[in-house]
C-alpha cells in the first residue's frame, strides 16, 4: 500500500478587502491630518485647521479633550452623507470650485448638510444660487426653500415666477407638499387676489365703458349692438387666470380676435377700438399684485 504523498499542502489565503478609496480631489498627503469617510465609503483627507475655520461643527468637536492618539493614526470620521455631498461641501467651504448647482435636488441636499455642519460659506453660496438663471427648478420649490429659511427677498422673487402656474396641477401639488403651510397660504392668497382683482377690473365701467352692459351703441351709426364678444372674452380671461395664470403676453395670441373682428351688423364698422382694448387690458394685468406680501418686520430683512 502506497504511503500518502507527504508533499507540502498549500493553503489559499483570501486577499484583504479592497483598500478604501480616497476622493481624487482629497488624497492623503503630509498636509492633511484628518480623514472623513462618506456613507458610501469614500475617504477625504483634509486639514483639521481648515475644517475648524470653515465648519462650525468641527470647530466645536476639535475643541473637546482628545483621546490618546492611536499608533496607527486617527480613525476616519464617519459621515452620514454621500461622497457627492461631502465633496460639494468641501469644495464650497474651501473655495475649490462650486459643485453643479443647476439641480434643485442637489442644491437642497447640500443646503441641509451645510446647515447641519454649520458651513456658513456654503449656505451663502447656495442662497445666491437659488435665483441663478442656470438653476432648473420649479419656482414653487425655490419659493418653499427660500421661505423656510427666512430668505424673503428670494421668496418674493420666486413667488412672482409662479403667476403663470396652475397651483392645482399634479406637479404644483407635489412641490407644494414640501412647503411650509404658512408659505402655501400666502402663495394661494396671491393667486386668488389676482383673479378677484382681474374680474373686478374687467367689470369696471371707468376702464371699459361697455364692461357690464348686454348691448352697446355703435359709435358710427348709433345701432344697438350685442355686447357678447366682450362678455365671452371676460369669461375666457377669468378662466385662464384660474387655470394657468395670466400675463400681458397672453394678449399677443388669438384671445382678442373676436373683439378685434366684431363689427356692427348695420354699418360694418368695428364695434370696439382694438388699441384702447389692448391698452386697458395691459394696464389691468400690470396693476395686479405680482408677489407674496410680507409684514413690515419681514420687509426689513429683505436687504
Amino acid at each position: 500500500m502506497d504511503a500518502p504523498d507527504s508533499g507540502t499542502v498549500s493553503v489559499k489565503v483570501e486577499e484583504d478587502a479592497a483598500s478604501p478609496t480616497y476622493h481624487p480631489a482629497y488624497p492623503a498627503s503630509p498636509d492633511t491630518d484628518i480623514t472623513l469617510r462618506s456613507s458610501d465609503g469614500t475617504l477625504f483627507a483634509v486639514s483639521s485647521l481648515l475644517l475648524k475655520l470653515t465648519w462650525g461643527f468641527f470647530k466645536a468637536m476639535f475643541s473637546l479633550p482628545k483621546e490618546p492618539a492611536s499608533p496607527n493614526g486617527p480613525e476616519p470620521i464617519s459621515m452620514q452623507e454621500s461622497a457627492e455631498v461631502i465633496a460639494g461641501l468641501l469644495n464650497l467651504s474651501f473655495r475649490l470650485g462650486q459643485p453643479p448647482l443647476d439641480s434643485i435636488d442637489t442644491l437642497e441636499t447640500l443646503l441641509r448638510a451645510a446647515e447641519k455642519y454649520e458651513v456658513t460659506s456654503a449656505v451663502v453660496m447656495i442662497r445666491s444660487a437659488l435665483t441663478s438663471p442656470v438653476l432648473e427648478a420649479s419656482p414653487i420649490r425655490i419659493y418653499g426653500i427660500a421661505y423656510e429659511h427666512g430668505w424673503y427677498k428670494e421668496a418674493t422673487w420666486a413667488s412672482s415666477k409662479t403667476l403663470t402656474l396652475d397651483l392645482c396641477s399634479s406637479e404644483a401639488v407635489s412641490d407644494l407638499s414640501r412647503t411650509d403651510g404658512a408659505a402655501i397660504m400666502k402663495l394661494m392668497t396671491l393667486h386668488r387676489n389676482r383673479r378677484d382683482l382681474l374680474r373686478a377690473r374687467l367689470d369696471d365701467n371707468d376702464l371699459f365703458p361697455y364692461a357690464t352692459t348686454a348691448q352697446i351703441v355703435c359709435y358710427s351709426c348709433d345701432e344697438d349692438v350685442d355686447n357678447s364678444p366682450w362678455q365671452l372674452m371676460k369669461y375666457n380671461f377669468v378662466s385662464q387666470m384660474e387655470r394657468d395664470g395670466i400675463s400681458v403676453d397672453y394678449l399677443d395670441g388669438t384671445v382678442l380676435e373676436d373683439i378685434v373682428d366684431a363689427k356692427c351688423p348695420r354699418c360694418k364698422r368695428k364695434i370696439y377700438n382694438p388699441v384702447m382694448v389692448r391698452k386697458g387690458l395691459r394696464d389691468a394685468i400690470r396693476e395686479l399684485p405680482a408677489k407674496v406680501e410680507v409684514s413690515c418686520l419681514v420687509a426689513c430683512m429683505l436687504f
Side-chain angles (χ1 to χ4, degrees):
M1 183 174 179
D2 296 335
D5 187 1
S6 59
T8 304
V9 178
S10 62
V11 178
K12 183 178 181 180
V13 179
E14 296 290 337
E15 295 183 358
D16 293 337
S19 301
T21 303
Y22 280 88
H23 191 280
Y26 296 93
S29 74
D31 298 326
T32 61
D33 57 346
I34 293 293
T35 303
L36 307 179
R37 179 166 46 214
S38 67
S39 62
D40 43 5
T42 301
L43 300 180
F44 297 81
V46 293
S47 163
S48 60
L49 176 60
L50 288 178
L51 275 184
K52 285 191 291 185
L53 290 174
T54 56
W55 294 39
F57 174 87
F58 284 109
K59 180 179 181 181
M61 178 179 172
F62 293 153
S63 67
L64 298 175
K66 297 181 180 179
E67 297 181 358
S70 168
N72 297 323
E75 287 291 319
I77 300 173
S78 296
M79 312 289 283
Q80 295 179 334
E81 290 71 27
S82 68
E84 180 184 12
V85 174
I86 298 301
L89 280 185
L90 290 173
N91 290 345
L92 287 172
S93 55
F94 296 165
R95 310 249 178 199
L96 297 179
Q98 287 194 8
L101 296 180
D102 55 349
S103 162
I104 191 65
D105 292 325
T106 299
L107 184 146
E108 188 169 16
T109 301
L110 279 172
L111 178 58
R112 304 296 181 198
E115 292 176 321
K116 174 182 176 180
Y117 295 109
E118 302 173 56
V119 189
T120 305
S121 59
V123 173
V124 170
M125 284 186 272
I126 291 170
R127 179 180 181 179
S128 67
L130 269 181
T131 54
S132 167
V134 302
L135 179 62
E136 297 180 0
S138 161
I140 297 175
R141 285 281 302 277
I142 298 173
Y143 168 75
I145 293 171
Y147 194 98
E148 175 188 348
H149 290 80
W151 301 337
Y152 296 110
K153 184 176 181 180
E154 290 80 2
T156 54
W157 174 86
S159 71
S160 70
K161 303 300 181 181
T162 72
L163 300 181
T164 56
L165 299 180
D166 178 5
L167 298 186
C168 294
S169 68
S170 58
E171 296 84 358
V173 170
S174 176
D175 290 333
L176 288 170
S177 67
R178 304 167 176 258
T179 307
D180 173 76
I184 293 174
M185 289 304 300
K186 286 184 178 294
L187 196 60
M188 291 288 191
T189 300
L190 169 65
H191 283 242
R192 176 64 177 269
N193 287 344
R194 283 175 58 83
R195 186 198 66 187
D196 292 348
L197 287 171
L198 177 64
R199 181 185 287 120
R201 282 180 166 81
L202 293 177
D203 285 338
D204 188 341
N205 287 296
D206 290 333
L207 288 175
F208 306 103
Y210 36 80
T212 58
T213 59
Q215 289 188 320
I216 58 176
V217 177
C218 175
Y219 65 88
S220 296
C221 67
D222 294 332
E223 177 79 3
D224 288 339
V225 181
D226 181 21
N227 194 29
S228 60
W230 172 260
Q231 301 298 338
L232 179 60
M233 190 220 66
K234 281 202 305 183
Y235 172 81
N236 290 335
F237 257 62
V238 175
S239 296
Q240 170 70 19
M241 175 67 86
E242 186 77 41
R243 185 176 61 253
D244 298 320
I246 204 166
S247 69
V248 293
D249 295 336
Y250 184 60
L251 303 178
D252 295 334
T254 60
V255 66
L256 297 182
E257 275 188 353
D258 290 341
I259 291 288
V260 172
D261 296 337
K263 296 179 180 179
C264 171
R266 181 179 177 184
C267 69
K268 309 304 181 183
R269 297 289 184 90
K270 288 189 175 183
I271 302 172
Y272 309 97
N273 184 324
V275 174
M276 297 306 296
V277 170
R278 288 182 183 277
K279 181 181 184 306
L281 291 174
R282 284 197 181 95
D283 291 344
I285 294 172
R286 286 170 177 159
E287 290 169 4
L288 298 176
K291 59 186 179 181
V292 294
E293 295 182 0
V294 292
S295 67
C296 295
L297 177 61
V298 171
C300 295
M301 302 170 63
L302 295 180
F303 301 100

